Amino acid sequence: MARYVYDFTDGNKDLKELLGGKGANLAEMTRMGLPVPPGFTITTEACRAYLRTRAVPAGLFAEVQEHLLLVEMRMGKGLGDPQDPLLLSVRSGGKFSMPGMMETILDIGLTDSSVRGLAAQSGDERFAWDSYRRLIQMFGRTVFGVPGADFESELAAARAGAGAESDAELPVAQLQDLVEAYKKVFLAHTGRDFPQAPHEQLFLAITSVFRSWNAERAVLYRRQERIPQDLGTAVNVMAMVFGNRGPDSGTGVAFTRDPATGRRGAYGDYLSNAQGEDVVAGIRNTVGLRELAELDPRSYRRLLSVMERLEQRYRDLCDIEFTIERGKLWMLQTRVGKRTAAAAFVIAAQLVDEGTITLDEALQRVSGEQLAHLMFPSFDTSAAPAPLTTGVPASPGAAVGAIVFDSAHAAAADHPVILVRPETNPDDLPGMIAAQGILTSRGGKTSHAAVVARGMGKTCVCGAEELRIDLAAETVTVNGTVLHAGDVLSLDGTTGRVYPGAVPVHPSPVVRYFEGELSPANDPLLAAVQRLMTHADHVRRLGVHANADTGPDAARARRFGAGGVGLCRTEHMFLGERRELVERLILADDDTERDAALAALLPLQRADFVELFEAMDGLPVTVRLIDPPLHEFLPALEELTARVARAEALGRDPGRDAVLLTAVRRMHEANPMLGLRGVRLGLVVPGLFAMQVRAIAEAAALRVAAGGDPRPEIMVPLVGAVQELETVRAEAESVLHGIDGIPRIRIGTMIEVPRAALTAGEIAHAAEFFSFGTNDLTQMTWGFSRDDVEGAFFGRYLALGIFAVSPFETIDSGGVGELVRIAVERGRATRPDLTVGVCGEHGGDPASVRFFHRAGLDYVSCSPFRVPVARLEAGRAACTASTSDSR
Ligand code: PEP
Ligand code: MG
């Protein structure tokens, strides 16, 4: 029979898949001899079995009973014992952290009789009755779906009746009445009494945690974070310890380094006389850890030493939940902590300096997504007005948007918005995803808003206490200024400042560093970026080239570390004033007219290439011959038809427009992306490709004559059959033969039609290199138009989970990726020294870069701005060091 339950003494930190992150880490801390309350973990396997069959797996509860006995022995108490009850917490915990998305139930074991035992044993009646009412509320809501508002209104009535400002002031008699009222609410909604058998409470709680895996918000969060939907959650059952036992008790969260900046030193929030949920919910404002040092120096010292041991064990920043019960410290949770992108770089470099990890490992502690985040712009504060207020800088970035006061409005908005809430809870997730930034008036860096925003890389300012938010009136008042829904705010997640209106943004320091404008000396972040990028460049096997069409773009790409141009799209060179020349080419009636048009285009093309080769001197520049359908260079059919009709109606001669209209009609295609473009166009319009080849060669000759080192390559788009390429190749070679003083120019092809991938073995006979055009390859493999479908149905497909991410963003490894693998294999079988790269958008996408590394490509090519991200990911892909679990 499968084993479904592990005592904390049985597991370890490497069993995350089976025990969930929380369970594995509780086990690890138990093994380390840290003060963890006794308990056990029910495996994710049990959850999966439950979700599959809708029934508790056979033998599970018997196993739970056995492990419960052990906990009871260690604590010297029985679950729900009327004299001296053991109470339990039941918490979810999957392989990946999903803050607040699933359920937790505390105080299991309290009943009408054991509440009295707890009161007697603790000598604190208030505490016992308050715990009981918390249990009924949490249990009712979580296990039976009783609306939370029904309990809240009873609580509010009790407060009003007792004239109490807060729950903490409710006297015992009122709490006892409240328990009775809660039990009535429970009965009314469930048709049954609140369970008085402690074991029944426990079993019901366990199954409701299983079910919470599929709660709507949890499913949404996983989709957003790309966590697989089929992992299931583990359930941790642990003896309760209490932070709400008076002023010598409390609860807190702590980080071993600052998760916002990476600065060394313990960092955290503490709330005295409270339960853990109060901190995370951000309901009361916390104090810093430093104040704990004054309140309870012994526990503080103990905590610091535990934190140090945890860092040593995990070799990374850890975050911790702890409780102090009457002066005794208990560890309730730890994990490798989430951090901002900047902190990730700084901490990785620090850990290398401290001798804790190697540079290879450091590369696994950062990601291309984080680097991309650091390359976002921030506010130009010199142009900012006086801030309205300052809150806690919880998640960095610069966000500008119109105020919305609830998640639904944020999710529905078609313009950038800032979600403004007193605090957030997991139900706000859709709005948080949709908003540019999140602003709350309550809670610290570890409140729900802060943790979730940081995880998403979203700007967040929280705990801005001066804000008076009136959700009903949809206003927020701050120091006399009243703002309404729709008013624009700017949030600076790095400083916590909140500005009225739209503040101009300025470039990121990391970008300025790549541009060579800022030195990394004396800046920990830039120094860390430099260090890790240098190492990534050192270890990566993949080259990183850029898609650049102009000299300035190529120059920037080069500053960003590109090793060449992987794609120069020549079509932009036919736009603007040159359009008329193209029109002449298209409309030419005879060779003389066509040749004249081509001759006029030639010097312009040549000048473009000279500029490009100069910017990339000494590095390869892959020039793609013209690709889009020619009619794109003519006026739109509708506009032209209207012009001609207007002229005719007025009795005027439409002149040249009439000629154009005939041409446009002749060339009109229903599916231009699948029509006369790429190599097909080159084979149909005489002289067009030859002119481009000549321009490339003459530009190279000019650069050689000027002492340069041009390295052009010629790339033919949209090839599907080797014969197409052979024909173009023959024509190109004859042009090249006639030009003196040029370097050898390689001729290759794009692979962007599925047939090209499948016949790559033949195509490689005529191609010295391949470059995957994964934009077209994705479009043609799936059979959907890259121009139309993202708006038409991708949203629905993402919501249904058919796509985890758009296949135009991250390579579809199972389908399009399979064609890539086939083409690489067949191409290299024909020509072992075939160079293979990719120049579709996927070339700069972190997950895709890792795929291309594994597929054995030689280089990726992407937009200049994404070059650093691709370099970093290529380095990460090449390192085989153990992966981090800082996700
Ligand atoms: C591609 O198809 O991936 C590609 C790079 O070409 P384009 O986007 O210009 O069609
Ligand atoms: Mg293409």
Short mmCIF file of all heavy atoms in Angstrom, two decimals, residues 772 774 777-778 781-782 811-824 851-852 855:
data_model
loop_
_atom_site.label_atom_id
_atom_site.label_comp_id
_atom_site.label_asym_id
_atom_site.label_seq_id
_atom_site.Cartn_x
_atom_site.Cartn_y
_atom_site.Cartn_z
N PHE A 772 16.39 29.62 -38.43
CA PHE A 772 14.96 29.32 -38.27
C PHE A 772 14.17 30.60 -38.11
O PHE A 772 14.44 31.40 -37.21
CB PHE A 772 14.74 28.42 -37.05
CG PHE A 772 15.22 27.02 -37.29
CD1 PHE A 772 16.46 26.61 -36.83
CD2 PHE A 772 14.44 26.13 -38.01
CE1 PHE A 772 16.91 25.32 -37.07
CE2 PHE A 772 14.88 24.84 -38.26
CZ PHE A 772 16.13 24.44 -37.80
N THR A 774 11.21 31.35 -36.78
CA THR A 774 10.19 30.66 -35.99
C THR A 774 8.87 31.42 -35.92
O THR A 774 7.86 30.86 -35.49
CB THR A 774 10.72 30.40 -34.57
OG1 THR A 774 11.36 31.59 -34.10
CG2 THR A 774 11.71 29.25 -34.56
N LEU A 777 7.42 29.87 -38.98
CA LEU A 777 7.34 28.42 -38.76
C LEU A 777 6.21 28.09 -37.77
O LEU A 777 5.50 27.09 -37.93
CB LEU A 777 8.69 27.89 -38.25
CG LEU A 777 8.88 26.37 -38.31
CD1 LEU A 777 8.70 25.82 -39.72
CD2 LEU A 777 10.25 25.96 -37.77
N THR A 778 6.04 28.95 -36.77
CA THR A 778 4.95 28.74 -35.81
C THR A 778 3.60 28.93 -36.51
O THR A 778 2.69 28.12 -36.38
CB THR A 778 5.09 29.72 -34.62
OG1 THR A 778 6.33 29.48 -33.98
CG2 THR A 778 3.96 29.55 -33.63
N THR A 781 3.05 26.01 -38.93
CA THR A 781 2.89 24.69 -38.30
C THR A 781 1.52 24.57 -37.66
O THR A 781 0.85 23.55 -37.75
CB THR A 781 4.01 24.48 -37.26
OG1 THR A 781 5.26 24.59 -37.92
CG2 THR A 781 3.90 23.11 -36.62
N TRP A 782 1.11 25.67 -37.00
CA TRP A 782 -0.21 25.65 -36.37
C TRP A 782 -1.32 25.93 -37.36
O TRP A 782 -2.49 25.63 -37.10
CB TRP A 782 -0.27 26.71 -35.26
CG TRP A 782 0.36 26.30 -33.97
CD1 TRP A 782 1.65 26.50 -33.59
CD2 TRP A 782 -0.26 25.64 -32.87
NE1 TRP A 782 1.87 26.01 -32.33
CE2 TRP A 782 0.71 25.47 -31.86
CE3 TRP A 782 -1.55 25.16 -32.63
CZ2 TRP A 782 0.43 24.85 -30.64
CZ3 TRP A 782 -1.83 24.55 -31.42
CH2 TRP A 782 -0.85 24.40 -30.44
N ILE A 811 8.76 29.12 -27.69
CA ILE A 811 8.69 28.09 -28.72
C ILE A 811 7.83 26.91 -28.26
O ILE A 811 7.93 26.47 -27.11
CB ILE A 811 10.11 27.62 -29.11
CG1 ILE A 811 10.08 26.73 -30.35
CG2 ILE A 811 10.79 26.90 -27.98
CD1 ILE A 811 10.25 27.50 -31.61
N ASP A 812 6.97 26.46 -29.12
CA ASP A 812 6.15 25.27 -28.86
C ASP A 812 7.07 24.07 -29.08
O ASP A 812 7.25 23.60 -30.20
CB ASP A 812 4.96 25.31 -29.82
CG ASP A 812 4.43 23.92 -30.15
OD1 ASP A 812 4.43 23.07 -29.25
OD2 ASP A 812 4.04 23.71 -31.31
N SER A 813 7.65 23.59 -27.99
CA SER A 813 8.74 22.62 -28.16
C SER A 813 8.23 21.29 -28.72
O SER A 813 8.95 20.62 -29.46
CB SER A 813 9.50 22.42 -26.85
OG SER A 813 8.62 21.96 -25.86
N GLY A 814 6.99 20.94 -28.41
CA GLY A 814 6.48 19.65 -28.89
C GLY A 814 6.17 19.62 -30.37
O GLY A 814 6.29 18.59 -31.03
N GLY A 815 5.76 20.76 -30.94
CA GLY A 815 5.37 20.79 -32.35
C GLY A 815 6.41 21.50 -33.21
O GLY A 815 7.20 20.88 -33.93
N VAL A 816 6.45 22.83 -33.08
CA VAL A 816 7.40 23.62 -33.87
C VAL A 816 8.84 23.20 -33.51
O VAL A 816 9.70 23.05 -34.39
CB VAL A 816 7.19 25.13 -33.60
CG1 VAL A 816 8.16 25.96 -34.40
CG2 VAL A 816 5.75 25.53 -33.92
N GLY A 817 9.04 22.96 -32.21
CA GLY A 817 10.38 22.55 -31.75
C GLY A 817 10.81 21.24 -32.38
O GLY A 817 11.99 21.02 -32.68
N GLU A 818 9.85 20.35 -32.61
CA GLU A 818 10.18 19.06 -33.21
C GLU A 818 10.67 19.28 -34.65
O GLU A 818 11.62 18.63 -35.10
CB GLU A 818 8.93 18.17 -33.19
CG GLU A 818 9.16 16.73 -33.58
CD GLU A 818 10.21 16.01 -32.74
OE1 GLU A 818 10.50 16.46 -31.63
OE2 GLU A 818 10.76 15.01 -33.25
N LEU A 819 10.04 20.22 -35.35
CA LEU A 819 10.51 20.53 -36.71
C LEU A 819 11.92 21.10 -36.67
O LEU A 819 12.74 20.81 -37.54
CB LEU A 819 9.55 21.54 -37.38
CG LEU A 819 8.21 20.96 -37.83
CD1 LEU A 819 7.28 22.07 -38.31
CD2 LEU A 819 8.40 19.93 -38.95
N VAL A 820 12.20 21.91 -35.65
CA VAL A 820 13.55 22.47 -35.51
C VAL A 820 14.55 21.32 -35.32
O VAL A 820 15.58 21.26 -36.00
CB VAL A 820 13.61 23.46 -34.31
CG1 VAL A 820 15.06 23.85 -34.00
CG2 VAL A 820 12.76 24.70 -34.59
N ARG A 821 14.22 20.40 -34.43
CA ARG A 821 15.13 19.28 -34.17
C ARG A 821 15.36 18.45 -35.43
O ARG A 821 16.49 18.07 -35.77
CB ARG A 821 14.58 18.39 -33.05
CG ARG A 821 14.84 18.95 -31.66
CD ARG A 821 14.42 17.97 -30.57
NE ARG A 821 12.96 17.89 -30.49
CZ ARG A 821 12.24 18.49 -29.54
NH1 ARG A 821 12.83 19.19 -28.59
NH2 ARG A 821 10.93 18.39 -29.52
N ILE A 822 14.28 18.19 -36.15
CA ILE A 822 14.39 17.39 -37.38
C ILE A 822 15.30 18.10 -38.39
O ILE A 822 16.19 17.49 -39.00
CB ILE A 822 12.98 17.18 -38.00
CG1 ILE A 822 12.19 16.19 -37.14
CG2 ILE A 822 13.07 16.70 -39.45
CD1 ILE A 822 10.71 16.08 -37.54
N ALA A 823 15.06 19.41 -38.55
CA ALA A 823 15.83 20.14 -39.56
C ALA A 823 17.30 20.21 -39.20
O ALA A 823 18.18 20.09 -40.07
CB ALA A 823 15.25 21.55 -39.72
N VAL A 824 17.59 20.38 -37.91
CA VAL A 824 19.00 20.44 -37.49
C VAL A 824 19.67 19.09 -37.81
O VAL A 824 20.75 19.03 -38.40
CB VAL A 824 19.11 20.73 -35.97
CG1 VAL A 824 20.55 20.57 -35.49
CG2 VAL A 824 18.62 22.14 -35.67
N PHE A 851 15.75 26.11 -24.93
CA PHE A 851 15.40 25.05 -25.89
C PHE A 851 16.41 25.02 -27.05
O PHE A 851 16.88 23.95 -27.45
CB PHE A 851 13.98 25.28 -26.43
CG PHE A 851 13.66 24.40 -27.60
CD1 PHE A 851 13.21 23.09 -27.39
CD2 PHE A 851 13.86 24.82 -28.90
CE1 PHE A 851 12.96 22.25 -28.46
CE2 PHE A 851 13.63 23.98 -29.98
CZ PHE A 851 13.17 22.70 -29.75
N PHE A 852 16.75 26.18 -27.58
CA PHE A 852 17.66 26.21 -28.74
C PHE A 852 19.06 25.71 -28.37
O PHE A 852 19.74 25.12 -29.18
CB PHE A 852 17.73 27.62 -29.34
CG PHE A 852 16.41 28.09 -29.92
CD1 PHE A 852 15.85 29.31 -29.56
CD2 PHE A 852 15.72 27.29 -30.82
CE1 PHE A 852 14.63 29.72 -30.08
CE2 PHE A 852 14.49 27.69 -31.34
CZ PHE A 852 13.95 28.91 -30.97
N ALA A 855 18.71 22.05 -28.47
CA ALA A 855 18.53 21.56 -29.84
C ALA A 855 19.83 21.64 -30.64
O ALA A 855 19.86 21.24 -31.80
CB ALA A 855 17.42 22.36 -30.53
#
